[in-house]
Amino acid sequence: MSFLNTIWDVLWSLLLIYAFVVFIFALFAVIRDLFRDHEMNGWVKALWIILLVFVPFITVLIYVVARGRKMAERNIKDQAAAQEAAKHYIRDVAGTSASDEIAKAKALYDAGTITAQEFETLKAKSLS
């Protein structure tokens, strides 16, 4: 009988640890959303933080129920902005395509800045 009690105690402890970790993730999500929301007044944010300190479980639950939709919308908007910034950064870092390089070299050749030999070298370099 002692062995079964030990197993149930371990399972109960694991369940409590899991619930605590989930709660901590939800708490940090609410805090992050509070600071991300630019429409909310500073005093209202301070009130939410005070409530989170003194009555954390109920406050997280109320916040998610009352402001969950806006929270999700802000999250989607921020993810889209981050994705767009990453695409812009990759485009800037990646440089230009081979056809752009050849067009630039052709413009330099037409302007007389480079010779035909240099144009062919740049074209071969761009295509490789």
Side-chain angles (χ1 to χ4, degrees):
M1 196 61 152
S2 169
F3 179 71
L4 287 177
N5 287 341
T6 305
I7 289 176
W8 288 115
D9 288 343
V10 168
L11 289 176
W12 181 250
S13 296
L14 287 174
L15 180 67
L16 289 177
I17 290 169
Y18 176 76
F20 181 72
V21 170
V22 168
F23 169 72
I24 293 296
F25 273 102
L27 180 68
F28 282 115
V30 166
I31 291 171
R32 186 183 73 207
D33 187 64
L34 274 171
F35 287 107
R36 200 170 36 172
D37 187 3
H38 299 292
E39 297 173 1
M40 188 183 297
N41 185 351
W43 291 105
V44 176
K45 288 180 184 182
L47 179 65
W48 277 109
I49 294 294
I50 290 169
L51 289 172
L52 281 170
V53 168
F54 291 111
V55 210
F57 183 75
I58 300 296
T59 306
V60 167
L61 192 61
I62 291 171
Y63 189 89
V64 169
V65 169
R67 300 185 46 86
R69 181 171 301 211
K70 292 281 188 179
M71 192 173 169
E73 289 171 2
R74 275 187 293 280
N75 194 22
I76 290 169
K77 185 178 116 188
D78 287 349
Q79 285 179 356
Q83 186 176 14
E84 188 59 37
K87 284 181 185 178
H88 182 68
Y89 174 76
I90 290 169
R91 270 189 250 120
D92 287 348
V93 172
T96 57
S97 67
S99 61
D100 291 338
E101 291 293 325
I102 293 171
K104 288 178 186 177
K106 178 68 173 153
L108 289 173
Y109 175 67
D110 291 341
T113 308
I114 60 173
T115 64
Q117 175 71 25
E118 292 170 326
F119 172 71
E120 291 301 325
T121 304
L122 288 172
K123 188 166 89 170
K125 186 178 177 182
S126 296
L127 292 173
S128 63

